[in-house]
Amino acid sequence: MAVLQKIRKRSGLLLLAIGFALLAFVVQDLFTKGMRSQSKNVGSINGKDVSFDQFRIKVANAEKNGQNGRSTTQTQAANQVWDQEIALALFTDQFEKAGIRTSENNIIEVFKKDPNIGQNPQFLNQLGKFDLAKFKDFFKSNPEQAKAFQDRQTDAEVNSKFQIYSTMIKAGMYVTNADGKFKYRLEADKVNFDYVSVLYSTIKDSDVKVTDADVLDYMKKNEKKFKSEETREIEYVVIEDKPSAKDEEEIKAKITGLLTGRVEFKDGKYDTIPSFKSAKNVAEFVGANSDKPYDSTYVTKQDLPAEHADKLFNLPAGEIYGPYINGKYYCLSKAMGRKAGAKAKASHILISWEGTKVPNKKEKRTKEQAKAKAETLLAQAQANPGSFMMLALTNSDDSSAQQGGDLGYFEPGKMVKPFNDFVFNNPVGKIGLVESEFGYHIINVTDKQDAIRLATVAQKIEPSEATSNEVYTKATQFEMDANKNKDFVAVAKKAKLTVNPAIKAKAMDESFGAAGNQRQIIKWAYTKDTNVGDVKRFEVVNVGNIIARLKKINEKGLMTVEDAKPSVEGIIKNKKKAEKIKAKMKGSSLDAIAKANATTIQNAPAASVENSGLVNVGAEPKVVGAAFATAPNKLSAPVEGNSGVYVVMTKSVTKAPKLSNYDDYVKKLKANSAQASGRVFPALKSDAKIDDNRLEFY
């Protein structure tokens, strides 16, 4: 009480102090935002700035519209739009250099390929063809729509230019008859040679050492392959906010109490609360006592929790099963009824005709032809039901043909009426024919399932306030100890906690291991005030507390030796083994070399550059190439191959006979060159100067 009186006496001073503190906080926030606002661009691409104001509008639209029907986070949207901005800037520059221009006709052609425009009834003429005049008139009479359509026009113009650009690249990657002839020679010229090989596997890995300096030297010699963006390595400890054994017991006791009635004193009078079994209004009882709403639908046995399915499905009407655990809930379930044949399973063979709503017909046919074929297939299926799957696979116009016509389980009303009526009005094993708007269906009823209706009271197993307080105390204590001690692993070990392997994150990443999207942690790791060794606690919904430590900063440039080693170490080891092997592969003949290395002479009777496989070792194009280049009956120098070191002696080279034309080989090369346009963007991006400031804004 004395303390309260002192506070009251000094309340004026206290309010003044709080006011100054708030003012300081606001000023600091304004200063910080003011400093940040100096940067008006989200980045630049080859010296061209990307305005944040325009960028954020695009991000908001991408976030709102999602991608492929899935929701998109702000970070995902920012990454998506940034990639688009890079592509747009790089390709626009190429369009200008190439002098590419586009016309209204080009843009209209792009629009026509969009089904929402090219197949829109209000833009079609009487013949069902796209009508440019109708298209233009629509926007003349709808100015607001025209304004909203401007961005689409810009996109269409870019797409049109890209199509021209892509066509130019494909045209530039032409293939001549001489190229086809050379391709033929690579495949058809044959070389017969003997060889001695000493495989890398004959030397133990432990006999050659690969140092970090070796890996670094290899990366520097192959710099483009080992470029890496700036990353942060963040190790972390998770302290879950989960219910204790005591919490579980309390929830179990609470839900068990619903099995018996009780008397409560409420609003000045005693009130009798019925048990779950005796409750007259079950839906109301569930609503008052469950963390999940009442569900009146019928479910089959396969839809029930596997561990409890048998007992729940066979529960007599009015009886109760439980309490039992289903996921994160303690449950009581009351049987409310059963329905026979609630779900059915069927297979079908669809035979459609021209004019039905089936896009991928296996053959063109009239309705009469379709009916005749369907009746023939029906007779075959009825005569031999076991052949139904194969008949569906080879004849059905439906996508279910790949599953032998199997449509899985479905409820009444899910299929078109004729199909639905046949399946639910006939027994399992019945095969028949019905007609629908899609065509003729030969139907095989393969299974039916009964369903039950349950009333379930489910109470979530959650940590109590006391448990959550204990978790919070433990997490904050660990954070303080880790910041004080600086030995994150030792502090975790003392607290009996596990340090998770470090997450390697880029600046605009948000995924954080098993914890899912945790943008806040990654952004903290990239904050200028965060140094290696710093520790911070984060509260994460549905997880608890993540205590993160910035373990390492990897600057932009060459990737780390640690990252490169798994892919490089084997190559360097083989290189070092090759030096050891070559020192022993000396002699005036293959026989002498074979004896010196305790191996035998082998023969490749008809190898080609395109078919360079050697027995028991696989493809060795360098070895076959050396055989073609070595004069007959002469020894080659040692050749470092994929699997070992080889010395070859060529016996003969057989030139392939000339062909009247090399069209087939020209076609093969054209198929490869057609992919050239897809390799342009990665090449442009690799050479571009890109400054990314998105971290300041997202």
Side-chain angles (χ1 to χ4, degrees):
M1 199 70 177
V3 174
L4 287 173
Q5 288 175 350
K6 287 181 180 179
I7 290 174
R8 289 193 188 102
K9 288 179 181 178
R10 294 180 173 86
S11 59
L13 291 173
L14 183 62
L15 288 171
L16 190 61
I18 292 172
F20 276 120
L22 285 172
L23 180 61
F25 177 78
V26 170
V27 169
Q28 182 184 6
D29 187 52
L30 286 172
F31 180 75
T32 304
K33 287 182 177 177
M35 292 292 288
R36 281 181 54 184
S37 66
Q38 289 178 8
S39 177
K40 295 180 180 179
N41 300 315
V42 78
S44 67
I45 302 156
N46 283 341
K48 294 180 181 178
D49 293 332
V50 179
S51 164
F52 173 67
D53 288 337
Q54 294 179 1
F55 186 83
R56 67 182 176 83
I57 293 171
K58 293 179 181 179
V59 169
N61 289 333
E63 189 178 0
K64 180 176 65 177
N65 297 330
Q67 195 171 20
N68 299 325
R70 294 174 294 180
S71 60
T72 302
T73 66
Q74 187 185 62
T75 306
Q76 289 170 335
N79 289 336
Q80 176 189 331
V81 173
W82 180 244
D83 289 340
Q84 291 170 354
E85 289 294 321
I86 293 173
L88 181 62
L90 297 181
F91 278 122
T92 299
D93 188 46
Q94 293 300 306
F95 300 157
E96 290 175 1
K97 289 179 179 178
I100 295 174
R101 300 289 181 269
T102 190
S103 66
E104 182 185 62
N105 288 338
N106 296 129
I107 296 171
I108 292 299
E109 285 303 313
V110 173
F111 282 144
K112 285 164 66 175
K113 290 177 182 178
D114 183 345
N116 295 319
I117 297 174
Q119 297 175 21
N120 193 322
Q122 63 184 327
F123 302 142
L124 303 181
N125 60 23
Q126 292 179 346
L127 299 175
K129 300 293 184 182
F130 181 81
D131 191 321
L132 181 58
K134 283 190 173 186
F135 182 69
K136 289 183 175 180
D137 287 343
F138 172 81
F139 289 107
K140 285 179 183 177
S141 57
N142 294 275
E144 290 185 5
Q145 294 274 7
K147 188 176 181 181
F149 200 69
Q150 286 178 351
D151 287 342
R152 293 289 303 274
Q153 287 180 295
T154 303
D155 291 342
E157 183 178 351
V158 172
N159 286 334
S160 175
K161 287 182 178 179
F162 179 77
Q163 288 175 11
I164 297 170
Y165 180 69
S166 180
T167 302
M168 290 172 64
I169 291 172
K170 290 175 183 177
M173 299 296 291
Y174 58 87
V175 179
T176 66
N177 194 61
D179 294 325
K181 182 178 179 180
F182 184 68
K183 171 73 172 172
Y184 165 68
R185 293 282 302 276
L186 292 178
E187 289 186 18
D189 284 358
K190 306 293 182 183
V191 61
N192 177 7
F193 64 95
D194 291 335
Y195 64 93
V196 171
S197 65
V198 179
L199 302 182
Y200 300 133
S201 58
T202 59
I203 298 177
K204 294 179 181 178
D205 283 352
S206 57
D207 290 343
V208 289
K209 292 183 178 179
V210 176
T211 65
D212 288 354
D214 292 329
V215 176
L216 185 60
D217 183 58
Y218 183 89
M219 285 196 294
K220 286 180 177 177
K221 289 177 181 177
N222 301 273
E223 194 169 325
K224 281 194 173 183
K225 292 182 180 179
F226 298 96
K227 279 186 177 181
S228 177
E229 295 182 45
E230 182 180 356
T231 58
R232 299 285 190 272
E233 294 182 31
I234 311 160
E235 58 185 352
Y236 64 102
V237 160
V238 177
I239 301 179
E240 293 182 83
D241 189 11
K242 60 182 181 180
S244 64
K246 183 181 178 183
D247 294 334
E248 289 194 27
E249 285 301 318
E250 287 180 356
I251 294 167
K252 183 179 180 181
K254 182 181 176 184
I255 202 166
T256 301
L258 299 176
L259 292 172
T260 56
R262 64 189 187 278
V263 176
E264 288 185 354
F265 187 76
K266 189 176 181 181
D267 298 331
K269 60 179 181 178
Y270 288 97
D271 189 18
T272 301
I273 308 298
S275 67
F276 189 23
K277 187 172 184 178
S278 62
K280 291 181 180 179
N281 190 327
V282 175
E284 189 178 283
F285 187 93
V286 171
N289 294 283
S290 179
D291 291 330
K292 287 185 176 182
Y294 175 70
D295 184 0
S296 62
T297 58
Y298 282 85
V299 293
T300 60
K301 188 176 180 180
Q302 67 181 16
D303 298 323
L304 297 170
E307 188 179 350
H308 309 283
D310 286 333
K311 291 180 179 178
L312 286 169
F313 195 73
N314 296 311
L315 194 64
E319 293 300 312
I320 292 174
Y321 175 72
Y324 65 95
I325 293 178
N326 181 20
K328 295 183 178 180
Y329 294 84
Y330 256 116
C331 302
L332 289 174
S333 290
K334 183 177 182 178
M336 301 295 291
R338 179 180 293 269
K339 183 188 287 186
K343 281 190 178 181
K345 187 180 183 185
S347 296
H348 82 143
I349 304 167
L350 176 64
I351 305 299
S352 58
W353 58 85
E354 290 300 304
T356 57
K357 300 178 181 179
V358 179
N360 300 314
K361 302 176 181 65
K362 289 193 174 180
E363 60 183 83
K364 290 185 177 181
R365 57 179 83 91
T366 63
K367 184 175 181 180
E368 292 73 21
Q369 290 171 330
K371 185 177 182 181
K373 181 167 185 175
E375 288 174 344
T376 300
L377 291 170
L378 172 65
Q380 292 175 359
Q382 288 176 332
N384 182 12
S387 66
F388 197 96
M389 179 184 292
M390 187 55 66
L391 289 173
L393 185 65
T394 54
N395 293 282
S396 183
D397 289 329
D398 186 63
S399 59
S400 67
Q402 299 302 315
Q403 290 78 46
D406 186 7
L407 297 170
Y409 286 95
F410 50 89
E411 299 169 1
K414 295 295 184 182
M415 299 293 182
V416 289
K417 193 175 186 308
F419 194 105
N420 179 86
D421 292 348
F422 180 89
V423 172
F424 286 98
N425 292 334
N426 285 289
V428 173
K430 179 70 174 178
I431 297 176
L433 177 67
V434 301
E435 179 187 341
S436 80
E437 62 200 77
F438 298 100
Y440 290 106
H441 305 262
I442 300 97
I443 305 171
N444 182 14
V445 183
T446 54
D447 191 23
K448 288 190 177 181
Q449 289 189 347
D450 293 349
I452 60 169
R453 186 157 60 93
L454 296 172
T456 298
V457 175
Q459 294 189 0
K460 195 169 185 179
I461 306 169
E462 293 182 303
S464 63
E465 186 177 348
T467 299
S468 293
N469 288 340
E470 287 179 16
V471 169
Y472 173 79
T473 301
K474 184 177 182 180
T476 51
Q477 186 62 53
F478 178 81
E479 179 187 19
M480 290 188 292
D481 292 344
N483 271 311
K484 183 179 179 181
N485 189 300
K486 295 299 180 185
D487 190 336
F488 197 68
V489 175
V491 175
K493 188 175 181 180
K494 185 178 179 181
K496 297 181 181 179
L497 296 168
T498 301
V499 177
N500 290 277
I503 299 293
K504 185 171 288 185
K506 297 175 185 175
M508 288 302 294
D509 284 350
E510 61 181 352
S511 178
F512 197 78
N517 292 344
Q518 298 300 330
R519 178 70 186 144
Q520 56 175 339
I521 301 178
I522 295 169
K523 194 165 185 179
W524 163 78
Y526 276 88
T527 303
K528 290 181 180 179
D529 295 336
T530 304
N531 301 308
V532 172
D534 285 358
V535 175
K536 185 174 176 63
R537 181 184 65 85
F538 297 88
E539 290 187 19
V540 179
V541 178
N542 297 326
V543 174
N545 293 264
I546 291 179
I547 300 90
R549 175 181 177 268
L550 180 56
K551 182 180 181 181
K552 190 177 181 183
I553 295 175
N554 299 313
E555 301 292 348
K556 183 178 180 180
L558 280 178
M559 68 170 61
T560 64
V561 169
E562 185 181 29
D563 287 340
K565 189 172 282 187
S567 61
V568 168
E569 192 171 25
I571 297 171
I572 299 173
K573 278 186 177 180
N574 285 347
K575 189 74 178 173
K576 292 192 173 190
K577 288 179 180 181
E579 296 303 318
K580 288 177 176 286
I581 293 169
K582 283 195 287 187
K584 297 189 295 181
M585 293 191 79
K586 295 178 179 178
S588 58
S589 67
L590 284 182
D591 188 56
I593 295 171
K595 286 179 180 178
N597 291 276
T599 186
T600 58
I601 299 173
Q602 298 184 69
N603 176 252
S608 70
V609 175
E610 294 279 302
N611 183 17
S612 60
L614 301 181
V615 178
N616 298 326
V617 294
E620 288 291 4
K622 286 184 181 179
V623 178
V624 174
F628 272 109
T630 303
N633 302 315
K634 298 286 185 181
L635 289 181
S636 73
V639 180
E640 294 179 29
N642 294 329
S643 302
V645 179
Y646 301 77
V647 173
V648 307
M649 187 177 76
T650 303
K651 298 175 79 172
S652 64
V653 174
T654 305
K655 298 288 186 181
K658 292 183 179 180
L659 301 178
S660 58
N661 69 70
Y662 299 92
D663 293 349
D664 290 342
Y665 297 91
V666 169
K667 286 178 183 177
K668 289 182 182 179
L669 293 171
K670 280 184 177 179
N672 292 332
S673 64
Q675 310 300 320
S677 58
R679 298 192 292 270
V680 172
F681 178 65
L684 292 174
K685 188 176 179 181
S686 177
D687 290 337
K689 185 180 185 304
I690 299 172
D691 294 322
D692 186 353
N693 303 328
R694 285 177 295 156
L695 190 62
E696 294 181 24
F697 304 94
Y698 295 97

